[in-house]
Amino acid sequence: MAMTLAEKILAAHSGRERVEPGELLEVSVDFCLGNDITAPIAIKAFREAGVEKVFDPERIALVPDHFVPNKDIASAMQVKMLRDFAREQGISHYFEVGRMGIEHALLPEQGLVLPGDVVIGADSHTCTYGALGAFATGVGSTDLAAAMILGTTWFKVPASVKFVYRGKRKPWVGGKDLILHTIGQIGVDGARYMAMEFTGPVVEDLPMSHRMTMSNMAIEAGAKVGLIAPDQVTHDYVAGRARRPFVFHHSDPEARYEAVYEWDVSQLDPMVALPHLPENVKPVTELPEIPIDQVVIGSCTNGRLDDLREAAAVLKGRKVSDHVRCIVIPATQRIYRQAMDEGLLQIFLEAEAAVSTPTCGPCLGGHMGILAQGERAVATTNRNFVGRMGHPESEVYLSSPAVAAASAVLGRIAHPDEVR
């Protein structure tokens, strides 16, 4: 009867004592979400279904975060659809500009997604909440519409893959480096429709922000979810913010895994994913001199307070290279205020970086940092596909906040130790 963490959550939400990989299940949904790109399609499908009310207005969030503050008339109209629908349906978790944040940083911060939950979102990086021990995954907009109507969705139970990280991390090595290393080892389809389970002493030692970074990029390995078993770190994070009860599930010791990977990461250096795939990973110490034009520090992957602290530690007392644009984007209003209170924004401004209100903006090539033909960016974001941040002939290199900050100072991809 042994089950993995993913299987236990799905069993609990389907009224089953046991589930196995490959089974099709209808499960109850604890929370669902959409943004200004995906929710308008879901709202249209909701109306076409002829339904008058959502299943539970307290279990739905609408977060305009991609093209906000509105970049043009079309984006303004999409956000208006969300705003009007939220008012009509009594959805209190609609987050207007000024209260809004990047959804996958905002919802955990607000205590709306919790351990043991099943969460679906019309955004592929919904898997971020796996860091809390939730079965959280991205779905299409029509699936979101169905869940807003029914309060349920269906899944094929995924097989699980365990990743065990041992050793002692070097300075400047964190969750971003661990997940880039992992994707580099297994490839962008190495965990396709599987539950990645991140374990081991190194993961247990990570703060929640770094855990969220790892779970966030599970989708870049093709995974359905990216899970970390809840522990004291999890409890400390959710206890003061949870809006409802939560449940800790853990894999059984005898649980079956499709594969188990074990790595000693003691010698792992900060990692960089080169264009045009997140699997194209190399240690920063092995890269030739690569000049850059832009740095983006932020996103649902690395826009949390710990990330900004890391970047500020490198930038303090230094200037961004005179041929580089450095854009810093705190992921939520609360993080923005905390960064201001700690003096981090002053460090960024004195370094001659630009600080933005929360937005996904440049990550998806939306606005607030589009690349021109031939330009290169180092970004703490999650994808570096062709044209991801702008022109099809631009390039994006993925890294941690520390590497991004060092690169901004030196005008080329750099190790943080090179500027300290």
Side-chain angles (χ1 to χ4, degrees):
M1 297 293 291
M3 289 188 289
T4 65
L5 174 53
E7 291 159 8
K8 283 190 173 183
I9 297 173
L10 291 180
H13 285 73
S14 60
R16 302 270 299 275
E17 290 188 7
R18 174 178 171 77
V19 300
E20 294 184 355
E23 287 188 281
L24 297 178
L25 303 175
E26 183 173 1
V27 303
S28 58
V29 173
D30 294 293
F31 206 81
C32 52
L33 60 131
N35 57 52
D36 48 317
I37 293 178
T38 61
I41 304 169
I43 293 168
K44 184 174 182 290
F46 180 93
R47 299 204 187 285
E48 289 173 349
V51 180
E52 293 186 359
K53 290 292 182 182
V54 297
F55 82 103
D56 185 343
E58 294 300 315
R59 300 285 184 139
I60 298 168
L62 299 175
V63 187
D65 61 356
H66 277 57
F67 288 155
V68 294
N70 302 332
K71 72 164 189 171
D72 54 22
I73 294 171
S75 63
M77 293 302 295
Q78 286 186 270
V79 173
K80 187 176 186 299
M81 283 186 68
L82 270 65
R83 185 183 302 116
D84 292 348
F85 186 74
R87 288 173 179 169
E88 169 198 311
Q89 296 291 325
I91 296 171
S92 61
H93 305 309
Y94 167 77
F95 295 91
E96 191 59 88
V97 169
R99 293 177 289 276
M100 176 275 300
I102 298 173
E103 56 197 326
H104 306 311
L106 178 67
L107 299 187
E109 177 185 274
Q110 293 287 320
L112 293 172
V113 291
L114 297 167
D117 279 358
V118 166
V119 182
I120 63 167
D123 186 274
S124 59
H125 290 103
T126 302
C127 54
T128 305
Y129 318 136
L132 300 171
F135 190 99
T137 192
V139 298
S141 294
T142 51
D143 289 307
L144 173 61
M148 290 196 302
I149 295 167
L150 301 170
T152 63
T153 193
W154 69 273
F155 291 118
K156 181 174 75 171
V157 180
S160 293
V161 182
K162 180 186 281 190
F163 298 85
V164 186
Y165 304 85
R166 305 187 190 280
K168 181 177 175 59
R169 291 181 287 129
K170 287 184 178 181
W172 305 116
V173 172
K176 186 62 164 288
D177 307 292
L178 295 173
I179 192 61
L180 288 179
H181 169 75
T182 302
I183 297 168
Q185 293 293 308
I186 69 173
V188 293
D189 60 353
R192 187 168 54 195
Y193 204 91
M194 294 181 181
M196 299 177 79
E197 192 173 323
F198 305 117
T199 71
V202 172
V203 173
E204 292 167 7
D205 188 53
L206 291 177
M208 183 54 67
S209 58
H210 287 244
R211 296 180 182 194
M212 287 185 180
T213 298
M214 293 189 71
S215 292
N216 174 270
M217 289 191 69
I219 185 61
E220 271 67 57
K224 190 67 173 174
V225 292
L227 293 162
I228 297 175
D231 57 10
Q232 189 61 46
V233 172
T234 317
H235 183 272
D236 292 345
Y237 181 85
V238 301
R241 63 187 83 213
R243 305 278 189 102
R244 49 190 163 79
F246 53 88
V247 179
F248 281 9
H249 293 285
H250 298 88
S251 295
D252 294 320
E254 307 83 15
R256 291 182 298 173
Y257 292 89
E258 188 78 7
V260 178
Y261 296 87
E262 296 193 47
W263 294 303
D264 186 327
V265 297
S266 302
Q267 299 306 310
L268 188 71
D269 286 315
M271 307 298 285
V272 176
L274 283 64
H276 290 284
L277 284 174
E279 70 181 19
N280 190 17
V281 173
K282 291 184 181 295
V284 67
T285 52
E286 295 181 10
L287 295 181
E289 185 165 313
I290 302 174
I292 61 169
D293 303 284
Q294 178 168 292
V295 166
V296 175
I297 300 169
S299 84
C300 63
T301 314
N302 284 118
R304 297 174 182 84
L305 187 62
D306 285 344
D307 301 311
L308 301 187
R309 288 169 175 161
E310 184 177 305
V314 176
L315 286 171
K316 187 174 184 178
R318 299 175 177 84
K319 297 287 187 185
V320 172
S321 175
D322 59 9
H323 65 270
V324 172
R325 311 178 297 273
C326 182
I327 304 167
V328 181
I329 308 176
T332 70
Q333 289 291 112
R334 181 181 296 177
I335 293 168
Y336 194 112
R337 178 176 290 277
Q338 289 173 314
M340 181 171 62
D341 291 344
E342 291 186 15
L344 305 183
L345 301 191
Q346 182 174 345
I347 291 171
F348 298 140
L349 293 174
E350 289 179 353
E352 299 179 347
V355 180
S356 165
T357 189
T359 182
C360 299
C363 175
L364 67 152
H367 69 149
M368 296 290 291
I370 306 302
L371 296 176
Q373 182 179 14
E375 288 192 317
R376 292 192 186 104
V378 174
T380 67
T381 55
N382 41 54
R383 289 180 179 158
N384 59 348
F385 307 141
V386 173
R388 172 70 178 180
M389 198 173 280
H391 196 282
E393 294 178 25
S394 62
E395 295 180 346
V396 177
Y397 295 74
L398 305 177
S399 80
S400 68
V403 169
S407 302
V409 172
L410 295 180
R412 58 174 174 82
I413 299 178
H415 192 292
D417 284 347
E418 294 184 69
V419 299
R420 291 182 65 82

mmCIF file of all heavy atoms in Angstrom, residues 104-105 108 128 131-132 169 174-176 179 203 205-216 228 233-234 237 299-310 335 401:
data_model
loop_
_atom_site.group_PDB
_atom_site.id
_atom_site.type_symbol
_atom_site.label_atom_id
_atom_site.label_comp_id
_atom_site.label_asym_id
_atom_site.label_seq_id
_atom_site.Cartn_x
_atom_site.Cartn_y
_atom_site.Cartn_z
ATOM 1 N N HIS A 104 2.845 33.448 -8.782
ATOM 2 C CA HIS A 104 3.428 32.297 -8.081
ATOM 3 C C HIS A 104 4.300 32.703 -6.899
ATOM 4 O O HIS A 104 4.742 31.850 -6.137
ATOM 5 C CB HIS A 104 4.195 31.420 -9.065
ATOM 6 C CG HIS A 104 3.354 31.011 -10.232
ATOM 7 N ND1 HIS A 104 2.089 30.493 -10.064
ATOM 8 C CD2 HIS A 104 3.573 31.078 -11.565
ATOM 9 C CE1 HIS A 104 1.569 30.243 -11.253
ATOM 10 N NE2 HIS A 104 2.439 30.601 -12.173
ATOM 11 N N ALA A 105 4.532 33.984 -6.737
ATOM 12 C CA ALA A 105 5.091 34.501 -5.485
ATOM 13 C C ALA A 105 3.980 35.022 -4.587
ATOM 14 O O ALA A 105 4.028 34.878 -3.359
ATOM 15 C CB ALA A 105 6.107 35.607 -5.771
ATOM 16 N N PRO A 108 1.368 32.049 -2.556
ATOM 17 C CA PRO A 108 1.927 31.488 -1.314
ATOM 18 C C PRO A 108 2.094 32.545 -0.228
ATOM 19 O O PRO A 108 1.825 32.278 0.952
ATOM 20 C CB PRO A 108 3.285 30.926 -1.753
ATOM 21 C CG PRO A 108 3.168 30.723 -3.218
ATOM 22 C CD PRO A 108 2.262 31.813 -3.706
ATOM 23 N N THR A 128 5.164 25.712 -9.006
ATOM 24 C CA THR A 128 5.931 26.346 -7.919
ATOM 25 C C THR A 128 5.463 25.897 -6.545
ATOM 26 O O THR A 128 6.267 25.687 -5.626
ATOM 27 C CB THR A 128 5.811 27.879 -8.011
ATOM 28 O OG1 THR A 128 6.218 28.308 -9.311
ATOM 29 C CG2 THR A 128 6.642 28.573 -6.954
ATOM 30 N N ALA A 131 6.698 23.224 -3.781
ATOM 31 C CA ALA A 131 7.663 23.459 -2.704
ATOM 32 C C ALA A 131 7.006 23.436 -1.339
ATOM 33 O O ALA A 131 7.679 23.223 -0.321
ATOM 34 C CB ALA A 131 8.370 24.794 -2.921
ATOM 35 N N LEU A 132 5.688 23.659 -1.298
ATOM 36 C CA LEU A 132 4.943 23.603 -0.044
ATOM 37 C C LEU A 132 4.426 22.201 0.261
ATOM 38 O O LEU A 132 3.827 21.976 1.315
ATOM 39 C CB LEU A 132 3.749 24.563 -0.101
ATOM 40 C CG LEU A 132 4.058 26.038 -0.311
ATOM 41 C CD1 LEU A 132 2.771 26.823 -0.566
ATOM 42 C CD2 LEU A 132 4.798 26.609 0.886
ATOM 43 N N ARG A 169 26.829 22.770 -0.066
ATOM 44 C CA ARG A 169 26.836 23.729 -1.168
ATOM 45 C C ARG A 169 27.990 24.728 -1.039
ATOM 46 O O ARG A 169 28.303 25.213 0.052
ATOM 47 C CB ARG A 169 25.526 24.512 -1.205
ATOM 48 C CG ARG A 169 24.314 23.720 -1.600
ATOM 49 C CD ARG A 169 23.071 24.613 -1.622
ATOM 50 N NE ARG A 169 22.610 24.977 -0.278
ATOM 51 C CZ ARG A 169 22.363 26.200 0.129
ATOM 52 N NH1 ARG A 169 22.552 27.228 -0.696
ATOM 53 N NH2 ARG A 169 21.929 26.434 1.353
ATOM 54 N N GLY A 174 22.743 27.846 -5.006
ATOM 55 C CA GLY A 174 21.443 27.714 -4.354
ATOM 56 C C GLY A 174 20.455 26.942 -5.198
ATOM 57 O O GLY A 174 20.838 26.162 -6.087
ATOM 58 N N GLY A 175 19.183 27.174 -4.939
ATOM 59 C CA GLY A 175 18.136 26.420 -5.605
ATOM 60 C C GLY A 175 18.170 26.531 -7.120
ATOM 61 O O GLY A 175 17.916 25.553 -7.832
ATOM 62 N N LYS A 176 18.495 27.724 -7.649
ATOM 63 C CA LYS A 176 18.533 27.901 -9.108
ATOM 64 C C LYS A 176 19.613 27.029 -9.730
ATOM 65 O O LYS A 176 19.410 26.417 -10.790
ATOM 66 C CB LYS A 176 18.774 29.374 -9.440
ATOM 67 C CG LYS A 176 18.683 29.718 -10.932
ATOM 68 C CD LYS A 176 17.295 29.424 -11.493
ATOM 69 C CE LYS A 176 17.028 30.091 -12.831
ATOM 70 N NZ LYS A 176 16.839 31.545 -12.736
ATOM 71 N N ILE A 179 18.498 23.257 -9.662
ATOM 72 C CA ILE A 179 17.510 22.851 -10.663
ATOM 73 C C ILE A 179 18.087 22.949 -12.071
ATOM 74 O O ILE A 179 17.771 22.116 -12.931
ATOM 75 C CB ILE A 179 16.195 23.660 -10.514
ATOM 76 C CG1 ILE A 179 15.077 23.037 -11.349
ATOM 77 C CG2 ILE A 179 16.402 25.117 -10.843
ATOM 78 C CD1 ILE A 179 14.714 21.616 -10.978
ATOM 79 N N VAL A 203 18.467 19.768 0.082
ATOM 80 C CA VAL A 203 17.136 20.362 -0.066
ATOM 81 C C VAL A 203 16.559 20.709 1.298
ATOM 82 O O VAL A 203 15.945 21.772 1.482
ATOM 83 C CB VAL A 203 16.208 19.407 -0.840
ATOM 84 C CG1 VAL A 203 14.773 19.930 -0.845
ATOM 85 C CG2 VAL A 203 16.704 19.218 -2.260
ATOM 86 N N ASP A 205 18.043 21.709 3.765
ATOM 87 C CA ASP A 205 18.754 22.881 4.279
ATOM 88 C C ASP A 205 18.355 24.171 3.560
ATOM 89 O O ASP A 205 18.725 25.261 3.998
ATOM 90 C CB ASP A 205 20.265 22.652 4.142
ATOM 91 C CG ASP A 205 21.088 23.729 4.811
ATOM 92 O OD1 ASP A 205 20.859 23.994 6.010
ATOM 93 O OD2 ASP A 205 21.954 24.334 4.138
ATOM 94 N N LEU A 206 17.595 24.065 2.481
ATOM 95 C CA LEU A 206 17.237 25.246 1.699
ATOM 96 C C LEU A 206 16.109 26.035 2.353
ATOM 97 O O LEU A 206 15.159 25.452 2.873
ATOM 98 C CB LEU A 206 16.791 24.840 0.294
ATOM 99 C CG LEU A 206 17.824 24.271 -0.669
ATOM 100 C CD1 LEU A 206 17.141 23.861 -1.978
ATOM 101 C CD2 LEU A 206 18.940 25.277 -0.948
ATOM 102 N N PRO A 207 16.170 27.367 2.278
ATOM 103 C CA PRO A 207 15.008 28.162 2.707
ATOM 104 C C PRO A 207 13.871 28.000 1.709
ATOM 105 O O PRO A 207 14.065 27.518 0.583
ATOM 106 C CB PRO A 207 15.556 29.595 2.707
ATOM 107 C CG PRO A 207 16.665 29.576 1.713
ATOM 108 C CD PRO A 207 17.278 28.206 1.804
ATOM 109 N N MET A 208 12.684 28.434 2.076
ATOM 110 C CA MET A 208 11.520 28.246 1.221
ATOM 111 C C MET A 208 11.687 28.922 -0.129
ATOM 112 O O MET A 208 11.238 28.397 -1.160
ATOM 113 C CB MET A 208 10.267 28.763 1.933
ATOM 114 C CG MET A 208 8.982 28.543 1.142
ATOM 115 S SD MET A 208 8.711 26.819 0.618
ATOM 116 C CE MET A 208 8.441 26.039 2.216
ATOM 117 N N SER A 209 12.325 30.074 -0.171
ATOM 118 C CA SER A 209 12.490 30.779 -1.436
ATOM 119 C C SER A 209 13.267 29.938 -2.445
ATOM 120 O O SER A 209 12.909 29.874 -3.629
ATOM 121 C CB SER A 209 13.199 32.120 -1.219
ATOM 122 O OG SER A 209 14.459 31.919 -0.599
ATOM 123 N N HIS A 210 14.312 29.275 -2.014
ATOM 124 C CA HIS A 210 15.112 28.428 -2.907
ATOM 125 C C HIS A 210 14.346 27.164 -3.292
ATOM 126 O O HIS A 210 14.495 26.652 -4.405
ATOM 127 C CB HIS A 210 16.441 28.067 -2.242
ATOM 128 C CG HIS A 210 17.406 29.206 -2.187
ATOM 129 N ND1 HIS A 210 18.615 29.189 -2.850
ATOM 130 C CD2 HIS A 210 17.342 30.401 -1.553
ATOM 131 C CE1 HIS A 210 19.260 30.325 -2.617
ATOM 132 N NE2 HIS A 210 18.503 31.071 -1.824
ATOM 133 N N ARG A 211 13.546 26.656 -2.374
ATOM 134 C CA ARG A 211 12.718 25.490 -2.693
ATOM 135 C C ARG A 211 11.711 25.848 -3.792
ATOM 136 O O ARG A 211 11.469 25.066 -4.717
ATOM 137 C CB ARG A 211 11.988 24.997 -1.446
ATOM 138 C CG ARG A 211 12.908 24.485 -0.349
ATOM 139 C CD ARG A 211 12.110 24.006 0.856
ATOM 140 N NE ARG A 211 12.976 23.555 1.943
ATOM 141 C CZ ARG A 211 12.573 22.855 2.990
ATOM 142 N NH1 ARG A 211 11.285 22.542 3.108
ATOM 143 N NH2 ARG A 211 13.420 22.479 3.925
ATOM 144 N N MET A 212 11.126 27.043 -3.684
ATOM 145 C CA MET A 212 10.172 27.461 -4.702
ATOM 146 C C MET A 212 10.841 27.612 -6.060
ATOM 147 O O MET A 212 10.239 27.307 -7.100
ATOM 148 C CB MET A 212 9.489 28.761 -4.276
ATOM 149 C CG MET A 212 8.489 28.565 -3.147
ATOM 150 S SD MET A 212 7.597 30.094 -2.773
ATOM 151 C CE MET A 212 6.545 29.516 -1.429
ATOM 152 N N THR A 213 12.071 28.072 -6.067
ATOM 153 C CA THR A 213 12.813 28.158 -7.328
ATOM 154 C C THR A 213 12.949 26.790 -7.967
ATOM 155 O O THR A 213 12.758 26.639 -9.189
ATOM 156 C CB THR A 213 14.201 28.770 -7.082
ATOM 157 O OG1 THR A 213 14.053 30.105 -6.587
ATOM 158 C CG2 THR A 213 15.030 28.794 -8.357
ATOM 159 N N MET A 214 13.266 25.783 -7.178
ATOM 160 C CA MET A 214 13.421 24.436 -7.719
ATOM 161 C C MET A 214 12.100 23.901 -8.261
ATOM 162 O O MET A 214 12.033 23.407 -9.390
ATOM 163 C CB MET A 214 13.978 23.493 -6.655
ATOM 164 C CG MET A 214 15.396 23.811 -6.232
ATOM 165 S SD MET A 214 16.105 22.533 -5.169
ATOM 166 C CE MET A 214 16.337 21.189 -6.332
ATOM 167 N N SER A 215 11.047 23.995 -7.461
ATOM 168 C CA SER A 215 9.750 23.490 -7.914
ATOM 169 C C SER A 215 9.239 24.267 -9.118
ATOM 170 O O SER A 215 8.604 23.705 -10.015
ATOM 171 C CB SER A 215 8.735 23.561 -6.769
ATOM 172 O OG SER A 215 9.067 22.645 -5.743
ATOM 173 N N ASN A 216 9.507 25.557 -9.153
ATOM 174 C CA ASN A 216 9.073 26.411 -10.250
ATOM 175 C C ASN A 216 9.534 25.886 -11.596
ATOM 176 O O ASN A 216 8.798 25.934 -12.595
ATOM 177 C CB ASN A 216 9.615 27.828 -10.009
ATOM 178 C CG ASN A 216 9.357 28.778 -11.156
ATOM 179 O OD1 ASN A 216 10.174 28.902 -12.068
ATOM 180 N ND2 ASN A 216 8.232 29.477 -11.111
ATOM 181 N N ILE A 228 8.337 18.949 -2.866
ATOM 182 C CA ILE A 228 9.259 18.850 -1.736
ATOM 183 C C ILE A 228 8.419 18.528 -0.509
ATOM 184 O O ILE A 228 7.414 19.207 -0.233
ATOM 185 C CB ILE A 228 10.050 20.150 -1.533
ATOM 186 C CG1 ILE A 228 10.936 20.426 -2.756
ATOM 187 C CG2 ILE A 228 10.892 20.079 -0.256
ATOM 188 C CD1 ILE A 228 11.672 21.746 -2.706
ATOM 189 N N VAL A 233 10.583 23.849 7.996
ATOM 190 C CA VAL A 233 10.709 25.052 7.160
ATOM 191 C C VAL A 233 9.351 25.398 6.554
ATOM 192 O O VAL A 233 8.934 26.561 6.531
ATOM 193 C CB VAL A 233 11.767 24.842 6.057
ATOM 194 C CG1 VAL A 233 11.757 26.007 5.060
ATOM 195 C CG2 VAL A 233 13.156 24.683 6.670
ATOM 196 N N THR A 234 8.655 24.376 6.068
ATOM 197 C CA THR A 234 7.322 24.577 5.495
ATOM 198 C C THR A 234 6.359 25.112 6.546
ATOM 199 O O THR A 234 5.610 26.065 6.304
ATOM 200 C CB THR A 234 6.788 23.247 4.936
ATOM 201 O OG1 THR A 234 7.812 22.567 4.220
ATOM 202 C CG2 THR A 234 5.595 23.484 4.032
ATOM 203 N N TYR A 237 6.830 28.667 7.375
ATOM 204 C CA TYR A 237 6.408 29.557 6.300
ATOM 205 C C TYR A 237 4.889 29.742 6.280
ATOM 206 O O TYR A 237 4.388 30.862 6.132
ATOM 207 C CB TYR A 237 6.889 29.023 4.943
ATOM 208 C CG TYR A 237 6.512 29.916 3.787
ATOM 209 C CD1 TYR A 237 7.308 31.011 3.439
ATOM 210 C CD2 TYR A 237 5.354 29.684 3.051
ATOM 211 C CE1 TYR A 237 6.962 31.847 2.392
ATOM 212 C CE2 TYR A 237 4.997 30.520 2.002
ATOM 213 C CZ TYR A 237 5.804 31.594 1.670
ATOM 214 O OH TYR A 237 5.436 32.430 0.639
ATOM 215 N N SER A 299 11.084 37.774 -11.521
ATOM 216 C CA SER A 299 10.234 36.698 -12.045
ATOM 217 C C SER A 299 9.700 35.806 -10.931
ATOM 218 O O SER A 299 10.107 35.902 -9.774
ATOM 219 C CB SER A 299 10.949 35.848 -13.097
ATOM 220 O OG SER A 299 11.746 34.841 -12.500
ATOM 221 N N CYS A 300 8.793 34.879 -11.322
ATOM 222 C CA CYS A 300 8.257 33.918 -10.363
ATOM 223 C C CYS A 300 9.312 32.919 -9.925
ATOM 224 O O CYS A 300 9.133 32.199 -8.947
ATOM 225 C CB CYS A 300 7.040 33.196 -10.944
ATOM 226 S SG CYS A 300 7.353 32.196 -12.421
ATOM 227 N N THR A 301 10.439 32.883 -10.628
ATOM 228 C CA THR A 301 11.534 31.980 -10.278
ATOM 229 C C THR A 301 12.453 32.593 -9.233
ATOM 230 O O THR A 301 12.845 31.933 -8.269
ATOM 231 C CB THR A 301 12.355 31.627 -11.533
ATOM 232 O OG1 THR A 301 11.482 31.299 -12.601
ATOM 233 C CG2 THR A 301 13.289 30.454 -11.269
ATOM 234 N N ASN A 302 12.805 33.855 -9.389
ATOM 235 C CA ASN A 302 13.813 34.474 -8.526
ATOM 236 C C ASN A 302 13.527 35.947 -8.248
ATOM 237 O O ASN A 302 14.426 36.790 -8.351
ATOM 238 C CB ASN A 302 15.208 34.362 -9.159
ATOM 239 C CG ASN A 302 15.816 32.991 -9.040
ATOM 240 O OD1 ASN A 302 16.089 32.338 -10.053
ATOM 241 N ND2 ASN A 302 16.040 32.524 -7.826
ATOM 242 N N GLY A 303 12.290 36.271 -7.864
ATOM 243 C CA GLY A 303 11.976 37.648 -7.520
ATOM 244 C C GLY A 303 11.618 37.838 -6.057
ATOM 245 O O GLY A 303 11.040 38.866 -5.689
ATOM 246 N N ARG A 304 11.962 36.858 -5.218
ATOM 247 C CA ARG A 304 11.605 36.945 -3.799
ATOM 248 C C ARG A 304 12.673 37.713 -3.009
ATOM 249 O O ARG A 304 13.732 38.048 -3.537
ATOM 250 C CB ARG A 304 11.399 35.535 -3.236
ATOM 251 C CG ARG A 304 10.225 34.833 -3.928
ATOM 252 C CD ARG A 304 10.046 33.382 -3.532
ATOM 253 N NE ARG A 304 8.933 32.817 -4.293
ATOM 254 C CZ ARG A 304 9.042 32.329 -5.525
ATOM 255 N NH1 ARG A 304 10.227 32.293 -6.130
ATOM 256 N NH2 ARG A 304 7.974 31.871 -6.159
ATOM 257 N N LEU A 305 12.370 37.978 -1.754
ATOM 258 C CA LEU A 305 13.250 38.833 -0.968
ATOM 259 C C LEU A 305 14.660 38.256 -0.865
ATOM 260 O O LEU A 305 15.648 38.992 -0.983
ATOM 261 C CB LEU A 305 12.657 39.056 0.426
ATOM 262 C CG LEU A 305 13.384 40.074 1.303
ATOM 263 C CD1 LEU A 305 13.363 41.460 0.668
ATOM 264 C CD2 LEU A 305 12.757 40.116 2.696
ATOM 265 N N ASP A 306 14.790 36.961 -0.644
ATOM 266 C CA ASP A 306 16.116 36.348 -0.576
ATOM 267 C C ASP A 306 16.891 36.558 -1.864
ATOM 268 O O ASP A 306 18.119 36.743 -1.849
ATOM 269 C CB ASP A 306 16.002 34.843 -0.292
ATOM 270 C CG ASP A 306 15.633 34.535 1.146
ATOM 271 O OD1 ASP A 306 15.763 35.436 1.994
ATOM 272 O OD2 ASP A 306 15.214 33.392 1.423
ATOM 273 N N ASP A 307 16.198 36.521 -2.997
ATOM 274 C CA ASP A 307 16.850 36.731 -4.291
ATOM 275 C C ASP A 307 17.365 38.162 -4.406
ATOM 276 O O ASP A 307 18.474 38.405 -4.900
ATOM 277 C CB ASP A 307 15.870 36.440 -5.424
ATOM 278 C CG ASP A 307 15.342 35.022 -5.392
ATOM 279 O OD1 ASP A 307 16.153 34.091 -5.283
ATOM 280 O OD2 ASP A 307 14.107 34.837 -5.467
ATOM 281 N N LEU A 308 16.555 39.116 -3.964
ATOM 282 C CA LEU A 308 16.981 40.513 -4.025
ATOM 283 C C LEU A 308 18.140 40.777 -3.069
ATOM 284 O O LEU A 308 19.056 41.548 -3.381
ATOM 285 C CB LEU A 308 15.803 41.431 -3.697
ATOM 286 C CG LEU A 308 14.572 41.307 -4.609
ATOM 287 C CD1 LEU A 308 13.562 42.403 -4.272
ATOM 288 C CD2 LEU A 308 14.943 41.355 -6.080
ATOM 289 N N ARG A 309 18.105 40.141 -1.919
ATOM 290 C CA ARG A 309 19.232 40.271 -0.987
ATOM 291 C C ARG A 309 20.527 39.750 -1.616
ATOM 292 O O ARG A 309 21.596 40.352 -1.468
ATOM 293 C CB ARG A 309 18.933 39.501 0.299
ATOM 294 C CG ARG A 309 17.890 40.132 1.199
ATOM 295 C CD ARG A 309 17.473 39.170 2.292
ATOM 296 N NE ARG A 309 16.554 39.758 3.268
ATOM 297 C CZ ARG A 309 15.779 39.059 4.074
ATOM 298 N NH1 ARG A 309 15.802 37.720 4.033
ATOM 299 N NH2 ARG A 309 14.973 39.672 4.916
ATOM 300 N N GLU A 310 20.409 38.623 -2.303
ATOM 301 C CA GLU A 310 21.571 38.019 -2.950
ATOM 302 C C GLU A 310 22.143 38.947 -4.019
ATOM 303 O O GLU A 310 23.361 39.147 -4.102
ATOM 304 C CB GLU A 310 21.158 36.677 -3.568
ATOM 305 C CG GLU A 310 22.279 35.886 -4.201
ATOM 306 C CD GLU A 310 21.781 34.553 -4.724
ATOM 307 O OE1 GLU A 310 21.193 33.782 -3.942
ATOM 308 O OE2 GLU A 310 21.976 34.278 -5.929
ATOM 309 N N ILE A 335 7.171 42.278 -1.020
ATOM 310 C CA ILE A 335 8.613 42.122 -1.215
ATOM 311 C C ILE A 335 9.242 43.470 -1.566
ATOM 312 O O ILE A 335 10.330 43.810 -1.076
ATOM 313 C CB ILE A 335 8.891 41.069 -2.306
ATOM 314 C CG1 ILE A 335 8.465 39.682 -1.828
ATOM 315 C CG2 ILE A 335 10.364 41.070 -2.709
ATOM 316 C CD1 ILE A 335 8.418 38.627 -2.920
ATOM 317 N N PRO A 401 20.395 34.976 -9.092
ATOM 318 C CA PRO A 401 20.540 36.425 -8.905
ATOM 319 C C PRO A 401 21.989 36.873 -8.710
ATOM 320 O O PRO A 401 22.366 37.956 -9.173
ATOM 321 C CB PRO A 401 19.709 36.689 -7.650
ATOM 322 C CG PRO A 401 18.694 35.599 -7.629
ATOM 323 C CD PRO A 401 19.410 34.390 -8.164
#
